């Protein structure tokens, strides 16, 4: 094998990989080991054979408890692919070769092993019908809700259930189990499974009218009633409140995080630039601290890593690696903060996303084109000077290291697909191959920056930032600074302005300030004489209005200057507030009304009967409301009566 020219070329290519010498040796070892095991030359090594070797090496590594086998073939695979050893249709990386793509609808349903094959076939047909207007991720979510969360649990509750016509006891038991996840945690999203089940039944009813021979046998009463969803709006408000509180908690910490990643990157960049100017073993001084550039075992062909030793503490710092991590932490956080992007939109930014627009006056505006993601609509964001600086630094870094922005593939974990190779801005080196950053990598960079702040700012131990937090903070800052909310919705890519409103956390001081500004604008537009001081007679009349609102059963809540709209029929008036002390009086009135109703029924006074029944309904409603307020205990606050202003 040592005289195999094809193998020698592979070894030469492996030696040029931008990884450590140990990993380059590992790549050569994997190929030589595979050739030895199969007893073949390199020209006879196929992708299938090398994949088998990698899989068996991983299994053996797990059995032996070793970690090295986890990398078996990962570095060697792209080198072999570039040499033309594998067919052009073969994936260019080992991970792409072992990553399973999208599951078919049948595979997604069958992995839950339903016992009722007829229901299984129904769910497959239903999901295939719905798949026409759903992406893969949404289809998988619906499959899990209907198959795993709904019908699999129904089979556990009632193994003999043959159709969708569920008994009240069966569905009640399912709703009780729905409250808790399989891991024993309280389920937060109760509405998702309920709405999916309700849509299933309603769709079948609708489709049965058009295709009765296919769907009619499965039509059944919808088990999810309106009362099961009556708290949906309240749960949605609670969710919005939690998100708003989350935004308020992180808003004061954002400047600290931004300052930290900015200072850390500039400090490490200054150290790295200074270390590059000296030879191995020589000292250099940065900010009064003496450092020594140290040698490393890993001497790569093009860009050997740079290490330095702090002469005061003796700490060895891997400057190249530390500066690279600090840069991407800074770039990720700044881009998320300044552009308000979703995490998948950040990973999809490429060199092609940068555009420019020249205004008629000659001014050039830099634009950032965001590819379609959640809303499936492309949008364009005008870049601020800060955001443009960040994007320019990313491109400059790629060009300094590689001469251009390298093209690479991106894996979509939601759609389970690999993209075409594009010059993605946020990319990194995985096992010698460039790949667009995943959402997990972005999340990990943010958390690493937060962890670094815990010793000096303990709040970061309790409050952690997620990529989407920067999007909510971006929306809050835009709207609270006066940008119209519909413009904010366009920048964020929201199709519904209510979604943007849910992102915005309004702070107390903002509410007070905005209300005061509203009052000032309103007063400026009204005639000045409307804001004159009241006369003594007008003030007495205002006070007398409150005295007249006191009635037998409590007090009337009608506004000042308005007459009684119900001709003093207080029981029927929604403005009447019952005094709890007058509850016995309501009982007396009820007895009197019942006696009058009996007399009217005996005399067949139909008009009187209708009026008395309506009055009884209002009376009982007032009594129930008053008793409910009384059970809440003493909670009234005496606001007092307004006093007239002193007359000069």
């Amino acid at each position: 094998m040592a005289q195999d020219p094809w193998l020698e070329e592979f070894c030469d290519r492996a030696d040029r990989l931008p990884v450590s010498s140990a990993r380059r040796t590992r790549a050569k070892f994997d190929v030589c080991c595979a050739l030895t095991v199969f007893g073949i030359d390199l020209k006879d090594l196929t992708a299938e054979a090398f994949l088998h070797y990698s899989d068996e090496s991983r299994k053996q590594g797990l059995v032996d408890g070793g970690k090295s086998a986890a990398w078996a073939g990962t570095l060697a695979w792209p080198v072999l692919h570039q040499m033309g050893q594998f067919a052009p249709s073969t994936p260019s990386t080992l991970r792409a070769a072992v990553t399973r793509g999208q599951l078919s609808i049948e595979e997604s349903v069958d992995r839950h092993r339903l016992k009722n094959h007829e229901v299984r076939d129904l769910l497959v047909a239903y999901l295939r019908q719905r798949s026409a207007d759903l992406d893969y991720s949404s289809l998988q979510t619906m499959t899990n809700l209907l198959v795993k969360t709904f019908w699999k649990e129904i089979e556990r509750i009632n193994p003999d259930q043959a159709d969708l016509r569920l008994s009240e006891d069966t569905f009640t038991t399912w709703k009780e189990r729905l409250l808790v996840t399989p891991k024993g945690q309280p389920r937060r999203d109760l509405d998702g499974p309920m709405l999916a089940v309700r849509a299933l039944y309603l769709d079948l009813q609708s489709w049965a009218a058009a295709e009765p021979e296919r769907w009619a046998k499965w039509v059944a009463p919808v088990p999810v009633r309106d009362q099961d969803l009556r708290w949906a709006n309240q749960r949605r408000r609670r969710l919005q409140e939690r998100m708003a509180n989350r935004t308020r908690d992180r808003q004061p910490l954002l400047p600290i995080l931004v300052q930290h990643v900015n200072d850390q990157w500039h400090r490490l960049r200054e150290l790295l630039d200074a270390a590059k100017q000296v030879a191995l073993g020589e000292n250099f001084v940065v900010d009064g601290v003496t450092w020594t550039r140290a040698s490393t075992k890993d001497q790569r062909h093009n860009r050997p890593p740079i290490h330095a030793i702090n002469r005061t503490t003796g700490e060895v710092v891997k400057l190249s690696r530390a500066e690279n991590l600090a840069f991407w932490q800074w770039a990720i956080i700044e881009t998320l903060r300044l552009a308000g992007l979703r995490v998948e939109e950040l990973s999809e930014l490429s060199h092609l996303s940068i555009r420019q627009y020249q205004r008629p006056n000659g001014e050039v505006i830099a634009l950032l084109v965001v590819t379609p993601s959640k809303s499936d609509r492309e949008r364009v964001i005008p870049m601020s000077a800060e955001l443009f600086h960040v994007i320019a630094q990313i491109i400059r870094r790629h060009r300094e290291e590689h001469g251009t922005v390298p093209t690479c593939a991106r894996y979509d974990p939601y759609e389970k697909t690999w993209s075409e190779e594009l010059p993605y801005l946020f990319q990194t080196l995985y096992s010698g191959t460039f790949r667009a950053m995943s959402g997990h990598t972005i999340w990990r960079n943010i958390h690493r920056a937060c962890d670094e702040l815990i010793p000096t700012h303990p709040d970061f131990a309790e409050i952690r930032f997620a990529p989407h937090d920067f999007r909510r903070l971006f929306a809050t800052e835009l709207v609270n600074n006066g940008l119209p909310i519909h413009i904010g919705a366009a920048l964020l890519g929201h199709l519904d302005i209510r979604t943007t409103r849910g992102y915005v956390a309004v702070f107390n001081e903002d509410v007070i300030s905005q209300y005061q500004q509203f009052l000032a604008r309103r007063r400026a537009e009204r005639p000045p004489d409307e804001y004159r001081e009241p006369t003594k007679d007008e003030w007495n009349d205002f006070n007398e209005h409150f005295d007249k609102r006191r009635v037998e059963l409590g007090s009337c809540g009608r506004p000042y200057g308005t007459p009684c709209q119900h001709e003093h029929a207080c029981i029927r008036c929604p403005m009447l507030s019952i005094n709890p002390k007058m509850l016995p009086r309501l009982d007396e009135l009820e007895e009197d009304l019942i006696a009058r109703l009996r007399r009217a029924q005996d005399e067949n006074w139909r008009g009187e009967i209708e009026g008395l029944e309506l009055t009884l309904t209002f009376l009982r409603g007032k009594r129930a409301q008053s008793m409910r307020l009384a059970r809440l205990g003493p909670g009234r606050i005496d606001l007092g009566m307004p006093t007239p202003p002193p007359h000069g």
Side-chain angles (χ1 to χ4, degrees), residues 148-255:
K148 177 184 177 181
T149 306
F150 174 56
W151 193 254
K152 187 67 176 179
E153 286 298 320
I154 293 296
E155 289 187 341
R156 292 192 180 103
I157 296 169
N158 183 11
D160 298 328
Q161 186 70 41
D163 55 18
L164 299 183
R165 195 175 297 273
L166 305 180
S167 66
E168 187 67 28
D169 292 340
T170 299
F171 192 69
T172 300
T173 304
W174 178 77
K175 288 192 294 184
E176 292 174 354
R177 293 189 179 185
L178 186 65
L179 298 174
V180 182
T181 65
K183 295 182 179 181
Q185 301 294 328
R187 187 185 298 274
R188 290 188 175 183
D189 182 20
L190 295 174
D191 302 322
M194 289 283 192
L195 292 172
V197 172
R198 189 176 193 177
L200 168 67
Y201 280 80
L202 293 176
D203 286 340
L204 292 177
Q205 293 176 6
S206 175
W207 297 348
E211 298 180 84
E213 70 282 356
R214 184 179 182 186
W215 307 106
K217 64 175 290 188
W218 296 105
V219 172
V222 181
V224 182
R225 300 180 177 88
D226 290 341
Q227 62 183 8
D228 295 324
L229 299 171
R230 66 183 184 276
W231 302 111
N233 290 332
Q234 183 178 354
R235 284 193 289 266
R236 192 175 298 111
R237 287 195 297 270
R238 298 290 88 80
L239 175 62
Q240 290 178 352
E241 290 172 3
R242 289 198 300 270
M243 292 298 100
N245 289 333
R246 182 182 177 93
T247 302
R248 294 188 189 100
D249 291 340
R250 284 153 183 76
Q251 193 270 344
L253 298 180
L254 180 61

Side-chain angles (χ1 to χ4, degrees), residues 191-368:
D191 302 322
M194 289 283 192
L195 292 172
V197 172
R198 189 176 193 177
L200 168 67
Y201 280 80
L202 293 176
D203 286 340
L204 292 177
Q205 293 176 6
S206 175
W207 297 348
E211 298 180 84
E213 70 282 356
R214 184 179 182 186
W215 307 106
K217 64 175 290 188
W218 296 105
V219 172
V222 181
V224 182
R225 300 180 177 88
D226 290 341
Q227 62 183 8
D228 295 324
L229 299 171
R230 66 183 184 276
W231 302 111
N233 290 332
Q234 183 178 354
R235 284 193 289 266
R236 192 175 298 111
R237 287 195 297 270
R238 298 290 88 80
L239 175 62
Q240 290 178 352
E241 290 172 3
R242 289 198 300 270
M243 292 298 100
N245 289 333
R246 182 182 177 93
T247 302
R248 294 188 189 100
D249 291 340
R250 284 153 183 76
Q251 193 270 344
L253 298 180
L254 180 61
I256 300 174
L257 178 61
V258 171
Q259 188 66 39
H260 166 71
V261 295
N262 184 74
D263 292 347
Q264 181 179 3
W265 173 52
H266 282 84
R267 181 180 63 84
L268 289 171
R269 186 178 65 174
E270 186 179 358
L271 272 174
L272 182 61
D273 291 341
K276 290 178 179 179
Q277 305 301 320
V278 300
L280 293 176
E282 292 186 3
N283 294 339
F284 60 96
V285 179
V286 176
D287 293 334
V289 179
T290 302
W291 298 79
T292 300
R293 179 171 177 178
S295 62
T296 63
K297 296 180 180 179
D298 181 19
Q299 294 299 322
R300 304 177 190 178
H301 280 70
N302 50 356
R303 300 177 65 87
I306 297 177
H307 294 182
I309 302 174
N310 188 322
R311 304 303 300 176
T312 304
T313 63
E315 177 189 9
V316 179
V317 179
K318 299 178 180 180
L319 283 180
S320 300
R321 180 177 182 275
E323 191 272 342
N324 186 66
L325 290 175
F327 172 81
W328 288 113
Q329 285 180 9
W330 170 80
I332 288 170
I333 291 175
E334 285 291 85
T335 306
L336 289 173
R337 177 180 73 91
L338 297 170
L341 301 178
R342 302 180 180 94
V343 63
E344 62 271 18
E345 293 172 345
L346 178 74
S347 64
E348 290 176 357
L349 286 180
S350 72
H351 201 179
L352 306 176
S353 302
I354 303 168
R355 296 287 187 272
Q356 65 180 24
Y357 167 70
Q358 187 171 1
R359 299 181 60 188
N361 61 2
E363 179 186 3
V364 177
I365 299 176
L367 302 175
L368 192 65

Side-chain angles (χ1 to χ4, degrees), residues 300-566:
R300 304 177 190 178
H301 280 70
N302 50 356
R303 300 177 65 87
I306 297 177
H307 294 182
I309 302 174
N310 188 322
R311 304 303 300 176
T312 304
T313 63
E315 177 189 9
V316 179
V317 179
K318 299 178 180 180
L319 283 180
S320 300
R321 180 177 182 275
E323 191 272 342
N324 186 66
L325 290 175
F327 172 81
W328 288 113
Q329 285 180 9
W330 170 80
I332 288 170
I333 291 175
E334 285 291 85
T335 306
L336 289 173
R337 177 180 73 91
L338 297 170
L341 301 178
R342 302 180 180 94
V343 63
E344 62 271 18
E345 293 172 345
L346 178 74
S347 64
E348 290 176 357
L349 286 180
S350 72
H351 201 179
L352 306 176
S353 302
I354 303 168
R355 296 287 187 272
Q356 65 180 24
Y357 167 70
Q358 187 171 1
R359 299 181 60 188
N361 61 2
E363 179 186 3
V364 177
I365 299 176
L367 302 175
L368 192 65
V369 180
V370 181
T371 55
S373 59
K374 186 175 180 180
S375 62
D376 200 28
R377 292 181 62 183
E378 185 179 78
R379 68 183 192 274
V380 179
I381 300 175
M383 284 194 282
S384 63
E386 292 177 286
L387 178 58
F388 184 78
H389 170 70
V390 176
I391 299 299
Q393 288 291 342
I394 295 173
I395 296 174
R396 179 183 301 171
R397 189 176 192 86
H398 285 306
R399 286 180 171 174
E400 288 178 352
E401 295 183 357
H402 315 295
T404 184
V405 180
T407 58
C408 61
R410 175 184 175 272
Y411 180 69
D412 190 335
Y414 301 103
E415 296 300 310
K416 307 296 182 184
T417 57
W418 289 88
S419 72
E420 297 180 359
E421 292 193 351
L422 292 172
Y424 290 110
L425 296 181
F426 290 86
Q427 59 177 271
T428 188
L429 196 64
Y430 290 89
S431 302
T433 304
F434 289 104
R435 191 190 308 161
M437 286 188 185
S438 64
H440 181 70
T441 300
I442 294 171
W443 177 89
R444 190 169 62 242
N445 273 279
I446 296 172
H447 275 241
R448 187 184 294 115
C450 293
D451 289 339
E452 294 166 354
L453 281 166
I454 292 177
T456 55
H457 297 84
D459 290 340
F460 281 90
E462 301 291 336
I463 299 176
R464 311 303 295 269
F465 278 80
H468 216 72
D469 290 323
F470 297 97
R471 182 171 169 83
R472 295 191 183 95
L473 288 164
F474 175 78
T476 300
E477 183 179 3
L478 286 181
V479 176
N480 288 345
N481 285 338
L483 185 74
I485 195 168
H486 67 281
I487 302 297
L491 292 175
L492 291 168
H494 289 157
L495 301 180
D496 192 338
I497 196 173
R498 290 175 294 182
T499 306
T500 311
R501 190 175 293 114
Y503 271 52
V504 176
V506 181
F507 297 87
N508 293 335
E509 58 269 22
D510 296 326
V511 175
I512 297 172
S513 174
Q514 293 293 330
Y515 183 66
Q516 289 176 342
Q517 294 176 17
F518 164 75
L519 291 179
R521 290 193 301 269
R522 184 178 182 275
R523 290 193 179 106
E525 295 173 357
R526 303 295 297 177
D529 58 350
E530 290 190 4
Y531 298 99
R532 62 176 175 82
E533 293 185 359
T535 64
K536 185 175 182 180
D537 292 339
E538 289 173 337
W539 190 257
N540 291 336
D541 181 64
F542 179 74
N543 288 331
E544 187 178 354
H545 161 76
F546 293 95
D547 295 334
K548 291 180 179 180
R549 294 202 311 180
R550 297 180 61 185
V551 293
E552 176 189 10
L553 297 175
S555 61
C556 177
R558 71 179 187 272
Y560 169 70
T562 59
C564 179
Q565 299 293 329
H566 299 88

Side-chain angles (χ1 to χ4, degrees), residues 77-98:
W77 186 286
V79 177
L80 293 171
H81 188 276
Q82 293 169 6
M83 291 173 58
Q85 181 67 31
F86 300 152
S89 59
T90 306
S92 59
T93 63
L94 180 60
R95 185 190 172 187
V98 300

